[in-house]
């Protein structure tokens, strides 16, 4: 660390957040970005108009409480408005959750690999990080997670479907786990990709929230609703926790345009779910095609597919996709490919087939 400014020494230890790469252009090919789990579908009708109208007076601050949106989310999920906390994406809600629980001397337990923000947020709060390896099929190791909790633990983060591997948590898994967690330890269920889940046994966090006061649900308009660029998500939490979250979330963090877009999209919730299930059908076919070629692809309930690869193969696979003008995400243990337009997925299929062919010869 340089001596020029009085920055925290701990900054040197923060794991970096590596955003999804933009696509590399290749002659004659439309570039595609399948590296950030974005929604590739056109915005829902009515949403761009709602954003434009709400953003017509950029000199004015937005409603600091997002009152209309809070009311609509509460009605949609049948919870009390006092239990709803909007933020600039689920990221802001997750950050606030670490802010109200963690400090030096405390610990946070989470699965790994999972969403890259978890260790970054833990580092930012000076807490001890307790990552617990996933099982070999990409699922959470609940026995390991429970064993990692001790009396320093203030927060547990769960991710369903898990980013980057894909499996969701089942209702039985969550129930079994919650029985092991002290009732004063906050458990966050990050359901950023919830709408894409199709397996019958997938836990519905909002339903589980009704049973466990220490369970907090994080959801977002970034993925199935396709509003990542506007930055709006929300938490559903016990009113006492929700009130603490409001204390630390920056006022006005959800812009007027984002509030209006989320409201409009929520009103079209049925269309959002239909589109999410279409993405899920494409995902299932894509995952199966890769398995048929011999790749190890865990069950996925999200809008992406994880291909387990060794470090060298992962670099080669990423490079071969880039040569096809398709950006994918390489992480430790493999690559993650977001579900995108057919043309983009076909190029990845082609790369995968060439890999499978090379491995056979
Ligand atoms: C598991 C998970 N949680 C939360 C987020 C944050 O999403 P946002 O801040 O856009 O709502 C992401 C984004 O990729 C994610 O993958």
């Amino acid at each position: 660390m340089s001596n020029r400014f009085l920055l925290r020494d701990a900054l040197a230890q923060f794991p970096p957040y590596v955003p999804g790469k933009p696509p590399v252009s290749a002659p004659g090919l439309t570039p595609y970005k399948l590296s950030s789990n974005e929604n590739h579908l056109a915005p829902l009708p009515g949403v761009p108009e709602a954003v434009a109208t709400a953003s017509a007076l950029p000199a004015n601050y937005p409603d600091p409480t997002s009152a209309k949106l809070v009311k609509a989310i509460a009605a949609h999920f049948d919870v009390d408005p006092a239990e709803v906390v909007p933020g600039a994406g689920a990221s802001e809600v997750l950050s606030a959750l670490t802010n109200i629980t963690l400090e030096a001397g405390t610990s946070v337990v989470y699965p790994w690999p999972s969403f890259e923000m978890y260790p970054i947020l833990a580092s930012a709060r000076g807490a001890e990080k307790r990552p617990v390896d996933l099982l070999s099929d990409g699922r959470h190791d609940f026995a390991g997670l429970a064993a990692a909790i001790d009396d320093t633990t203030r927060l547990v983060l769960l991710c369903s479907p898990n980013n980057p591997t894909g499996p969701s948590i089942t209702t039985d898994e969550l129930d079994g786990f919650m029985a092991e967690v002290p009732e004063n330890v906050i458990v966050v269920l990050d359901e950023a990709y919830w709408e894409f889940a199709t397996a019958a046994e997938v836990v519905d966090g909002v339903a589980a929230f009704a049973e466990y006061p220490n369970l907090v649900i994080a959801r977002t308009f970034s993925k199935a609703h396709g509003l990542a660029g506007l930055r709006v998500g929300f938490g559903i939490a016990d009113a006492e926790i929700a009130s603490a979250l409001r204390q630390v979330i920056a006022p006005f963090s959800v812009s007027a345009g984002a509030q209006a877009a989320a409201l409009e999209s929520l009103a079209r919730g049925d269309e959002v779910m239909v589109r999410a299930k279409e993405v899920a059908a494409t995902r299932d076919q894509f995952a199966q095609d890769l398995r048929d070629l011999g790749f190890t692809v865990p069950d996925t309930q999200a809008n992406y597919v994880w291909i387990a690869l060794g470090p060298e193969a992962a670099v080669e696979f990423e490079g071969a996709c880039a040569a096809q003008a398709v950006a994918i995400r390489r992480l430790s243990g493999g690559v993650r490919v977001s579900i995108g337009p057919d043309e983009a997925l076909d190029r990845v299929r082609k790369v995968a087939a060439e890999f499978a062919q090379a491995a056979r010869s």
Side-chain angles (χ1 to χ4, degrees), residues 104-284:
T106 67
S107 65
V108 50
V109 171
Y110 53 89
W112 197 252
S114 194
F115 185 38
E116 282 177 290
M117 286 291 290
Y118 301 161
I120 298 173
L121 293 171
S123 297
R125 309 296 174 203
E128 184 196 331
K129 299 189 280 281
R130 295 200 179 153
V132 175
D133 286 349
L134 297 175
L135 300 174
S136 59
D137 59 0
R139 309 188 70 84
H140 288 40
D141 172 4
F142 281 103
L145 289 162
I149 298 172
D150 66 13
D151 55 14
T152 67
T153 307
R154 296 264 189 89
L155 188 67
V156 179
L157 300 164
L158 306 176
C159 191
S160 177
N162 189 54
N163 177 8
T165 51
S168 280
I169 294 170
T170 68
T171 306
D172 285 352
E173 282 173 331
L174 186 75
D175 286 342
F177 181 66
M178 292 307 288
E180 302 283 321
V181 181
E183 286 174 7
N184 58 358
V185 172
I186 293 177
V187 177
V188 178
L189 185 59
D190 178 348
E191 294 189 317
Y193 302 93
W194 180 78
E195 295 88 344
F196 298 108
T198 46
E201 64 279 9
V202 171
V203 71
D204 174 353
V206 179
F209 163 72
E211 288 179 50
Y212 305 108
N214 59 329
L215 186 69
V216 177
I217 310 307
R219 290 206 183 169
T220 183
F221 287 93
S222 293
K223 307 296 181 180
H225 290 265
L227 301 178
L230 291 172
R231 313 304 303 129
V232 51
F234 59 97
I236 296 183
D238 178 90
E240 189 179 331
I241 300 172
S243 162
L245 289 170
R246 281 186 213 100
Q247 280 185 276
V248 299
I249 285 184
F252 311 114
S253 70
V254 184
S255 71
Q259 292 180 33
L263 253 181
E264 183 65 30
S265 198
L266 203 60
R268 295 169 179 270
D270 291 349
E271 288 166 74
V272 170
M273 291 310 273
V274 168
R275 289 160 56 123
K277 299 311 177 216
E278 283 167 12
V279 169
T282 306
R283 165 201 77 201
D284 289 344

Side-chain angles (χ1 to χ4, degrees), residues 2-13:
S2 91
N3 293 326
R4 286 184 66 215
F5 303 108
L6 298 174
L7 301 177
R8 285 171 63 191
D9 291 341
L11 279 168
Q13 311 304 327

